[in-house]
Each structure stands twice: as C-alpha cells, then as structure tokens.
Amino acid sequence: MNRKTLVLPAVAGLLAPLLAACGGSEESGAIVVGTTDQFIATADAPAPLDPAFAYDTGAWNILRQTVQTLMHVPRDGGEPVPEAAQSCGFSDKASESYRCKLRSGLTFADGTAITAEDVKYSIERVLKIKSDNGTAALLANIDTVETKGTDEIVFHLKTPDATFPYKLSTPVAGILSKDKYEAGKLRDGFDVDGSGPYTMKVEREGDKATRFVFSKNPSYKGDITLRNDKVELRPYADADAMGKALESDDIDMMARSLSRQQIKDLTETPKDGIEVVEVPGLEIRYLGFNTKAPAVQEKAVRKAMAAVVDRGALVNLVYGPTAEPLYSLIPSSITGHATPFFDEYGEPDATRAAKLLKDAGVKTPVKVTLNYTTDHYGSETAQEFEALKKQLVASGLFDATVKGAEWSTFRTAQKRGDYAVYGLGWFPDFPDPDNYIAPFLDSDNFLNTPYVNKVVRDQLIPRSRRQADRTAASPVYNQIQKIVAEDVPVLPLWQGKQYVAARDDLNGVEYALNTSSDLLLWELGRGTA
C-alpha cells in the first residue's frame, strides 16, 4: 500500500476529529489502554475496519468491542457460547447444518431491531465482497443461509465442520445493518456501527486513527458483562512511547506489544504503581514464501533455509524468555502440535543444506531478500531479521539482504506477490489447530499464496473438520504438518508469550487479553475488587 490518503468525496468528514474533549484518563473518566497497533486508511485499503475486510488483530480488537456476533469464546477459553444468539447448535449428526435462535429484543445501537435477515445479510455480504485480505475464507464453507421467521437462522454447510461455532465468534461474522453497510461494497474509513457492548467514536489525523473512545452501549443485550462505562484505546508509534505514557500516568494499561527490554525491566526492577502480568499467548512467527518467485521456486532452496536457520540462537539473541523455538505451524498447548521441522531437519546443518542445493542443481550463494514490516509486530522485528540474515550468510549458501516496510505498504505488496520471502506473525482467530492450518494452506487463504497441495486442501483439511472431538483430529494434523515440513511453503520460527503492564489501581487486567490476543476491554475496572 502507498501512504496516500483517501481521495473520496467523504474524506473531509471522515478525517475530521469527532471528539470535543480529548484529555487523559482523569479528564475523560475513561480507562485508557495503549497499543502499538496502527490504524491507517489508504487509497489501497480504505476500509480497515469493515468486517468483510479486516483481518488483523488490531482491527479485530476494535470490532470485538462494537460489533456483535452470534457466538463468542468465554474469557477463560473453551468452546464458544451464545452471544447475540439465545441458543446455537448443530441440528444433524454430520455437523453440516447449524441452527441459531436470536435473543429477544436485540437492537443495533441506533435502536433498529435486529432480525434473522440482518444476520443472513451480513454473512452473505462477506461472501459476496470476498476481499483479497483472506477474511471470507473463514465463512467459505457456508453453502446457503436460511431464515425461519424473524429470529432463527440455519447455516447449511458444504462439508462437515466442527469448528464452525468458532468461526461464528469472529468479527467476520459480525451482525451489520444494511442501512450502514452496502451489500457489495466495503465501508471506507474508521466508522463502525453494530450492536456490541460499546459504541465508538474515533479521532483522526490525516489517514491515521489516533484515538478510539468506547462508551457503554445502553441498548446492548448479550452474554458479556461490562465492568466499566468508558474505555479509550490509544495507538503509540512504538513500545517505548507507550511505556513512557504509562509511567507518566497518561494511560492505565499497555497491551500489544511490550518490548523484551520493558518486560525485563518491569519484572526485575518494578516501578511504583505499575505491575506487569504474563497472560497465556498463542502467537507464532514464521517466514512465508512466494513459491512462484524465481529465488525460492525450487523447493531445495526453501528446504536449505529450513536446515540452516537456528531458532534457538535467534530466540536467545532477540526475544530471550519471552519466546521459544517453534518447529510446526501449530504451537505447543494446541491439540495436534508436533515437531516436524525438527524431525525433518534436526539441529542447524549447513553441510546438509549444501547437499540439498547441490543435488537440485542450484548454484550458490542463492540471492534472497528477507522482507519484514517495521511497525506491526514490535521494535525487535528489525533485529530478528538482521539475525536471520547473518545466519543465512554465515552458511556460505545464501547472499541475503533485509528490507523493511511499514505495514500499510508491506501487506499489500505481500498479497500481491512482490516478496519472495517475507516475515509474518499469526494470532489465532480461535484456539483450534484448524486455524493454524487453513489460513495458510486452504483456498482463498490469508497469505494469498500460490502454493497448493491438493491432498491437504481437498482431503486432509475437510477430514480434520469432521471430528467433533478435536483431539481425534491430531493424526490428520500430523500428516499435514509433515507435508509442510517437506514442501516448506512456510517456515515456522518461534511462538511467543504475552504480557501486559498496568497501573496497580486497575483490576481485571489478567482477563483483558486472551490467548488469541483479543482485547476484552469490558473486563477492566477501577479499584482492588
């Protein structure tokens, strides 16, 4: 994406500040949370908060506060439970027909009644728009949506899918009003309208959103209990700036993402009035490959990189105890986790990598550029990619360079196929092994990758979804992971832990960020209770 601002007739109105008073937490009375996520509307991606397009953690953290879904995952994890729905469940043993009944009296924040037709409209809108961001893939298994009266919806699936309740808990399945969201067109800008626990106002500077204010929605009816009336979310350029805001009491909590040094400092030498909390996390980082790019089109090149990269050294140098090496797309603590990349390649071995390249007739050193985003995953990313470059160059088999770009540019270029090798992170849409496989390997996937394995896509993924008992699907996931380690369309690097830091007069902090890195702002409250 380029950094041009929108050139649409409504731009002036969209970019004007909407808030009259914008002081700190004392002035507004709101709980203030900092984030390093950036929110930018560009000519290439003018609708960053439309549920039919949004597919990154930052955008979803806005939508989860404002747009209601039929289901949601409880704060303690586990299987999804009804949210906008009164009840939901499969109506057949084959897990191909899923029926939901809406709560009575549901309305959008503007008072308009919500019916089953609104749910049908919202789901079909996502599938009709089918943005190139990969969002629609979560709902792609829906064949038809049927309404029965004003409050019942039946989803008829193309193939059995035990993970479908999880997918209905994600913002892509958010319930929208046809008066605010056109059927075949994304909604530009940062405005969001829904029936979630909060309403929202936003401040803008140019093409950036600089502050989100969430106020308790008096019309909200659902499964969530709010412990506050107002929360502000403020983006910061980096973790250092966010940390200074916490120390000066401009914000009450900093969430995504603290730097390694901040975590170390706050843990070893605590500051008065500030507490750091480790919360469970399921983030992974990996290298992705455009398997049609000349530099890495030959599978032996990708396998050689897998044989050379030293995950342990990388983690120790850059992330320390906040991360651990990962040898699979599926992280530890998730059903189906295995270590196929360690099983296949073992410890880093330049001699084996050299043989792989020689046997394939690949001349060395192989010239590759490692592309990464400078402003999306934290300040350590640049250091991580310099370390990766040094490992590859030290093998004598690669001539590697590093190139960084802002997320607004990086993501568009990556989807377009401009990068042969690129670094990305993944925060799960829901805590199930399917969500570490399908977004990378299924059709219409998040990566927009040219890599296709028909066995994985047409046989193994559908087979895994038939298992209502997710542990029973582990053998299938083991097969998939072995194929990934053999073909190397992606190269897993590490999985991370999560930390938040907050003023000590804030409670609910341990629940405010779940394993999928979803901000649950309604869990925060003042005082010691």
Side-chain angles (χ1 to χ4, degrees):
M1 302 177 192
N2 59 46
R3 293 298 301 278
K4 294 183 292 185
T5 54
L6 298 173
V7 288
L8 303 172
V11 172
L14 287 174
L15 301 183
L18 292 182
L19 299 177
C22 305
S25 58
E26 292 184 3
E27 179 180 344
S28 66
I31 293 171
V32 184
V33 176
T35 179
T36 57
D37 288 320
Q38 302 299 305
F39 305 88
I40 304 172
T42 68
D44 291 325
L49 297 182
D50 189 314
F53 176 84
Y55 205 7
D56 65 84
T57 302
W60 274 21
N61 280 336
I62 302 298
L63 294 174
R64 287 189 185 279
Q65 321 306 319
T66 51
V67 176
Q68 201 171 12
T69 50
L70 290 170
M71 306 286 285
H72 81 122
V73 177
R75 73 178 188 182
D76 295 326
E79 296 183 359
V81 297
E83 213 291 76
Q86 173 183 306
S87 61
C88 282
F90 285 105
S91 55
D92 66 330
K93 292 183 179 180
S95 299
E96 288 183 311
S97 182
Y98 196 76
R99 183 185 300 264
C100 291
K101 183 173 183 177
L102 293 175
R103 294 179 185 269
S104 61
L106 282 178
T107 67
F108 291 109
D110 64 5
T112 305
I114 295 176
T115 69
E117 284 296 329
D118 294 303
V119 178
K120 176 181 170 71
Y121 174 83
S122 302
I123 298 295
E124 291 180 342
R125 177 178 179 270
V126 172
L127 296 173
K128 179 178 181 180
I129 292 175
K130 197 178 181 181
S131 81
D132 66 355
N133 218 21
T135 323
L138 283 169
L139 304 178
N141 195 33
I142 295 174
D143 187 18
T144 59
V145 183
E146 178 187 6
T147 60
K148 293 181 177 293
T150 60
D151 63 353
E152 286 195 46
I153 312 99
V154 183
F155 300 94
H156 299 285
L157 308 182
K158 298 173 185 175
T159 59
D161 186 1
T163 72
F164 189 66
Y166 282 106
K167 293 168 182 175
L168 287 183
S169 73
T170 63
V172 67
I175 304 171
L176 308 175
S177 166
K178 60 174 65 71
D179 294 333
K180 304 290 177 64
Y181 293 84
E182 292 184 39
K185 182 180 180 298
L186 292 172
R187 182 179 182 179
D188 295 341
F190 298 106
D191 293 322
V192 178
D193 290 278
S195 57
Y198 295 101
T199 59
M200 185 192 80
K201 291 184 179 180
V202 59
E203 276 190 336
R204 309 162 173 87
E205 289 181 4
D207 59 355
K208 288 187 176 182
T210 58
R211 183 180 302 190
F212 298 91
V213 178
F214 301 100
S215 299
K216 185 176 182 178
N217 176 9
S219 301
Y220 171 72
K221 292 186 177 181
D223 191 57
I224 293 168
T225 300
L226 279 72
R227 303 184 62 245
N228 58 67
D229 292 328
K230 183 177 288 188
V231 184
E232 294 183 15
L233 185 68
R234 296 184 190 173
Y236 287 87
D238 53 44
D240 287 341
M242 182 170 60
K244 290 175 182 176
L246 183 67
E247 289 183 30
S248 62
D249 207 14
D250 288 337
I251 63 176
D252 300 294
M253 185 179 95
M254 56 179 183
R256 287 176 29 87
S257 298
L258 282 68
S259 69
R260 172 189 176 182
Q261 191 61 47
Q262 284 176 324
I263 296 165
K264 183 176 185 293
D265 291 346
L266 289 169
T267 302
E268 295 180 357
T269 55
K271 290 182 167 59
D272 287 343
I274 296 176
E275 296 178 347
V276 63
V277 179
E278 180 182 342
V279 293
L282 295 172
E283 170 193 7
I284 68 168
R285 298 284 180 88
Y286 58 93
L287 291 179
F289 298 98
N290 176 356
T291 54
K292 286 188 176 179
V296 296
Q297 186 174 24
E298 173 59 59
K299 182 166 68 172
V301 173
R302 307 193 300 272
K303 290 170 71 74
M305 290 180 70
V308 165
V309 167
D310 189 336
R311 295 168 177 81
L314 178 70
V315 166
N316 288 335
L317 175 67
V318 183
Y319 296 101
T322 66
E324 59 185 81
L326 180 65
Y327 298 91
S328 166
L329 277 175
I330 300 175
S332 61
S333 78
I334 290 288
T335 297
H337 169 73
T339 57
F341 276 85
F342 187 84
D343 300 340
E344 177 68 22
Y345 302 99
E347 297 293 341
D349 187 345
T351 301
R352 182 184 178 190
K355 185 176 187 306
L356 287 167
L357 294 171
K358 182 179 179 180
D359 290 349
V362 177
K363 293 182 179 180
T364 58
V366 179
K367 190 172 183 177
V368 293
T369 299
L370 308 178
N371 294 273
Y372 73 97
T373 173
T374 58
D375 61 344
H376 198 63
Y377 297 118
S379 57
E380 292 96 346
T381 310
Q383 185 183 357
E384 175 185 353
F385 273 73
E386 285 295 332
L388 284 170
K389 180 189 80 171
K390 289 179 181 178
Q391 289 185 5
L392 294 175
V393 171
S395 72
L397 304 173
F398 294 92
D399 175 10
T401 56
V402 170
K403 186 176 181 180
E406 291 182 331
W407 178 254
S408 56
T409 300
F410 175 89
R411 175 63 172 144
T412 297
Q414 180 269 314
K415 289 188 296 184
R416 195 167 51 221
D418 293 356
Y419 302 146
V421 187
Y422 51 87
L424 280 171
W426 183 251
F427 301 85
D429 306 327
F430 49 88
D432 185 273
D434 179 83
N435 199 239
Y436 289 94
I437 297 297
F440 308 103
L441 304 175
D442 208 354
S443 57
D444 301 319
N445 58 69
F446 168 75
L447 297 180
N448 198 27
T449 176
Y451 171 79
V452 176
N453 185 294
K454 299 290 286 182
V455 172
V456 171
R457 193 171 283 189
D458 298 339
Q459 298 178 32
L460 298 181
I461 290 177
R463 188 186 305 167
S464 72
R465 291 172 175 167
R466 294 190 187 101
Q467 299 291 345
D469 177 0
R470 302 308 289 149
T471 58
S474 292
V476 180
Y477 288 117
N478 286 339
Q479 286 182 260
I480 294 172
Q481 291 173 87
K482 287 179 180 178
I483 291 170
V484 172
E486 169 61 28
D487 291 351
V488 199
V490 292
L491 179 58
L493 296 173
W494 55 268
Q495 69 177 86
K497 303 175 183 178
Q498 289 191 124
Y499 297 83
V500 295
R503 309 297 305 186
D504 59 10
D505 64 345
L506 200 65
N507 62 69
V509 172
E510 66 273 25
Y511 298 116
L513 195 68
N514 68 13
T515 57
S516 295
S517 294
D518 301 327
L519 278 174
L520 312 181
L521 297 179
W522 51 82
E523 296 288 355
L524 297 173
R526 298 280 189 195
T528 58

